[in-house]
Amino acid sequence: MTVALTVDAEEMQRSAVGRAAGTFETNRSGFSVLHPINGVARHHIRVGHSDGSNEDLVFSELIAL
């Protein structure tokens, strides 16, 4: 698998390309980004989806398990 991650002060872009060597069952695959809550909570974020659409969201103030 090849993963590329580009991060700067304005945005983070990631991409991945892989090939399964055998049976591979999944409903979805993705990345988890762990960030500090201080200085991030309630700030705006734009999420770009694989279909080319964008979604404007706000980081949660609370984290649920």
Side-chain angles (χ1 to χ4, degrees):
M1 175 174 269
T2 302
V3 177
L5 182 65
T6 304
V7 180
D8 63 29
E10 297 297 320
E11 67 182 8
M12 177 184 77
Q13 296 183 5
R14 59 98 180 125
S15 64
V17 176
R19 183 180 305 266
T23 302
F24 185 77
E25 294 184 30
T26 183
N27 289 332
R28 70 174 84 172
S29 295
F31 292 91
S32 293
V33 178
L34 303 177
H35 57 82
I37 197 70
N38 293 332
V40 176
R42 297 184 308 273
H43 284 148
H44 294 272
I45 182 172
R46 174 168 286 165
V47 177
H49 298 283
S50 60
D51 65 1
S53 66
N54 291 312
E55 189 174 7
D56 292 320
L57 302 169
V58 176
F59 273 109
S60 297
E61 185 170 0
L62 301 174
I63 298 172
L65 298 176

